[in-house]
Amino acid sequence: MSTPAFHKDILKIDDVEKLVEKITDRLRKDVTGKLRRYGGVIGISGGIDSSVTMALAVRALGAENILGVMMPEKDSSPDSRELANNLANQFKVQTIVEDITGALDGYKCYERRDQAVKDIIPEYDPSSHKMKIGIKQSNPGSKLPPVFHLTVVKPDGSEIIKRLPTKQMRTIIAASNFKQRARMSFLYYHAERMHYAVIGTPNKHEVEQGFFVKFGDGGSDVFPIGKLYKTQVYQVAEYLDIPREIIERVPTTDTYSAEQTQEEFFYQFPFEQLDLLWYGYENNHNPAEVGKVLDMTGEVISMIYRNFERKSDTTSYLRMQAINDYDFI
Amino acid sequence: MENTGNLQKELFAYVKENTFKEIKSLTSDTMLFVEGIFDSMGFVLLLDFLEENYQIVTDDEDLIEENFESIDAITAFVLRKNSTVVQ
């Protein structure tokens, strides 16, 4: 079969209704047939991915067989809870709130993270300052991998930005990952007590570029939107009548105390562009052909492809199950 | 100041010890990131190594491929940085 010509609408879903039917039909079979569970537990954050996943799960399994779990902590945006609540009410899904701040205090998540921040920016005061880490925008065609920077935001809005050395970068990320892993524990607690499956919310980019925490938000039984590009998630969201304020909200990490978009933290491109770039890379579209559509040179597209390949390789460890073929007896 | 030959030898040793890739041939102009010898973690570790061992400070504007793409480029970068410090 020949590859279709690359164009800017190549990822547009022609028949959303049919796609939704296919996903929900498969999800029903997976949960009740393969996983042999009565329903699904979903962590809902008021973000687009968890909202679409929940709406799909309701169609697949019925609202009475879905539990939405909200798991805020002290750095979460207060909007998240309200948006998740409105969503659950609209879809008539029962919800539970599990505040994970206490669990995170027990893990010393904040203490470990804040100490690493202070190592780099000694004046950081977690009681009044906010912090975030992210990739500083570099030339998209650069052959060098991007590096992480730490930003501390003072009460007057001024920022101190420093490049993160390896040790502190790894400590901040590892400490912050307690958040996703604490959430995973709560989801499995509720799933086990109700004999439900944990329905995961990562989209295609998160799965394939490794933007998830192993055994955290990556720890689920099924990923119904794991093959959808972000723009397709939005298309499905429109069809499923997801609340407008969720569709219009800029996707954030909701992990650090300072506001931070996913583009800033990890992806480096707006989703409309990222989707097309990843599609071009995945389907071996000629860089010059892709460049013409995206108004970039073929050379820059080639470097972006190479960076995608590197990202995919670097994060393959996250997608691996425990290696268990030690058949030496 | 660091001698070019010694510096290159140390950098060769560092690259060989710290890559996860099986290197078939490594020359001073091998493209370390294009060839996948170092990934993003490899890059930050390299920056830490250079700062700790050669008393240089890398600024954001230094983080360009011309300074890090190969052992030749890193050598020139470290020597240039060191000479700036000496002056």
Side-chain angles (χ1 to χ4, degrees):
Chain A
M1 208 168 73
S2 66
T3 317
F6 188 86
H7 58 92
K8 73 175 177 40
D9 291 325
I10 201 157
L11 289 170
K12 201 164 173 210
I13 307 161
D14 292 331
D15 191 340
V16 184
E17 186 179 353
K18 201 169 163 190
L19 173 74
V20 166
E21 210 174 284
K22 281 185 181 170
I23 294 175
T24 52
D25 190 44
R26 171 71 190 273
L27 184 58
R28 188 180 316 112
K29 286 178 184 154
D30 282 344
V31 171
T32 59
K34 268 195 187 160
L35 299 165
R36 298 167 70 181
R37 294 292 180 271
Y38 300 127
V41 172
I42 302 166
I44 51 172
S45 63
I48 190 79
D49 294 329
S50 63
S51 302
V52 167
T53 303
M54 197 202 77
L56 289 168
V58 165
R59 280 194 175 221
L61 301 158
E64 67 283 9
N65 296 314
I66 300 297
L67 176 70
V69 188
M70 292 180 259
M71 293 167 284
E73 45 91 23
K74 72 176 183 189
D75 291 333
S76 302
S77 152
D79 296 349
S80 303
R81 188 161 163 177
E82 197 190 324
L83 291 171
N85 242 330
N86 294 346
L87 174 87
N89 287 339
Q90 182 183 321
F91 286 90
K92 300 186 171 41
V93 165
Q94 190 204 333
T95 58
I96 284 183
V97 179
E98 297 281 10
D99 191 314
I100 61 168
T101 307
L104 295 174
D105 273 330
Y107 286 132
K108 297 187 183 172
C109 158
Y110 306 110
E111 193 184 320
R112 293 173 206 268
R113 179 198 66 188
D114 291 341
Q115 187 51 57
V117 174
K118 279 182 196 165
D119 287 350
I120 306 302
I121 301 178
E123 60 264 53
Y124 171 61
D125 173 4
S127 68
S128 61
H129 295 163
K130 295 186 170 186
M131 60 75 60
K132 63 183 174 182
I133 68 169
I135 289 168
K136 206 162 184 191
Q137 280 291 356
S138 59
N139 168 12
S142 172
K143 296 183 182 78
L144 287 183
V147 293
F148 273 99
H149 283 70
L150 166 68
T151 303
V152 164
V153 185
K154 292 181 173 179
D156 64 3
S158 61
E159 294 182 344
I160 309 170
I161 304 175
K162 292 261 173 78
R163 181 169 60 77
L164 267 173
T166 323
K167 186 180 160 200
Q168 285 77 12
M169 177 186 78
R170 293 199 285 217
T171 303
I172 292 171
I173 292 174
S176 303
N177 287 352
F178 276 126
K179 297 184 179 186
Q180 283 81 2
R181 294 196 174 106
R183 292 190 174 110
M184 183 273 294
S185 294
F186 268 117
L187 290 175
Y188 272 96
Y189 164 73
H190 288 293
E192 285 172 354
R193 80 177 173 82
M194 298 174 84
H195 206 67
Y196 279 8
V198 173
I199 302 182
T201 63
N203 62 53
K204 184 177 174 75
H205 288 300
E206 291 175 328
V207 175
E208 291 174 12
Q209 295 195 44
F211 184 44
F212 64 89
V213 175
K214 191 169 187 173
F215 305 128
D217 50 338
S220 309
D221 296 312
V222 56
F223 290 160
I225 63 164
K227 295 288 178 191
L228 294 186
Y229 287 89
K230 194 78 174 186
T231 49
Q232 294 174 332
V233 173
Y234 281 102
Q235 233 190 306
V236 173
E238 296 281 358
Y239 173 78
L240 293 171
D241 206 19
I242 298 297
R244 186 64 22 211
E245 62 266 30
I246 291 178
I247 293 179
E248 286 171 1
R249 192 185 192 201
V250 176
T252 64
T253 58
D254 209 13
T255 295
Y256 299 102
S257 51
E259 282 254 317
Q260 179 194 50
T261 66
Q262 291 183 2
E263 180 183 335
E264 178 190 16
F265 179 69
F266 190 76
Y267 291 121
Q268 298 180 279
F269 296 101
F271 283 115
E272 297 76 13
Q273 223 177 24
L274 179 69
D275 279 6
L276 290 169
L277 287 164
W278 190 264
Y279 178 86
Y281 157 72
E282 199 173 41
N283 293 282
N284 297 314
H285 276 281
N286 180 293
E289 184 195 5
V290 174
K292 240 182 244 170
V293 173
L294 292 171
D295 202 19
M296 294 181 195
T297 65
E299 201 184 330
V300 167
I301 300 288
S302 295
M303 277 323 299
I304 292 171
Y305 281 7
R306 228 184 264 265
N307 287 338
F308 282 164
E309 198 180 339
R310 184 177 57 222
K311 224 174 202 179
S312 182
D313 286 350
T314 310
T315 60
S316 62
Y317 145 85
L318 297 174
R319 288 177 292 274
M320 282 181 205
Q321 296 297 312
I323 301 166
N324 185 29
D325 56 351
Y326 284 57
D327 294 325
F328 299 128
I329 298 172
Chain B
M1 205 189 340
E2 194 66 40
N3 163 299
T4 309
N6 281 346
L7 175 58
Q8 282 229 333
K9 213 183 280 174
E10 286 161 13
L11 287 173
F12 267 102
Y14 175 82
V15 172
K16 282 179 185 164
E17 266 171 38
N18 289 280
T19 180
F20 289 114
K21 197 172 173 172
E22 210 171 298
I23 308 176
K24 288 193 182 97
S25 86
L26 177 69
T27 58
S28 62
D29 61 356
T30 300
M31 303 293 269
L32 300 174
F33 299 97
V34 173
E35 300 292 326
I37 290 169
F38 281 149
D39 59 13
S40 46
M41 189 59 77
F43 184 38
V44 277
L45 280 165
L46 172 70
L47 294 174
D48 287 355
F49 168 77
L50 298 177
E51 293 193 349
E52 278 164 26
N53 290 277
Y54 302 106
Q55 292 76 50
I56 59 167
V57 175
T58 47
D59 304 315
D60 284 348
E61 50 272 26
D62 294 325
L63 304 180
I64 51 173
E65 53 204 67
E66 288 76 7
N67 290 335
F68 297 100
E69 61 189 359
S70 62
I71 288 177
D72 277 342
I74 301 166
T75 307
F77 171 69
V78 171
L79 291 174
R80 200 165 55 246
K81 275 278 177 181
N82 269 337
S83 73
T84 314
V85 172
V86 170
Q87 280 161 15

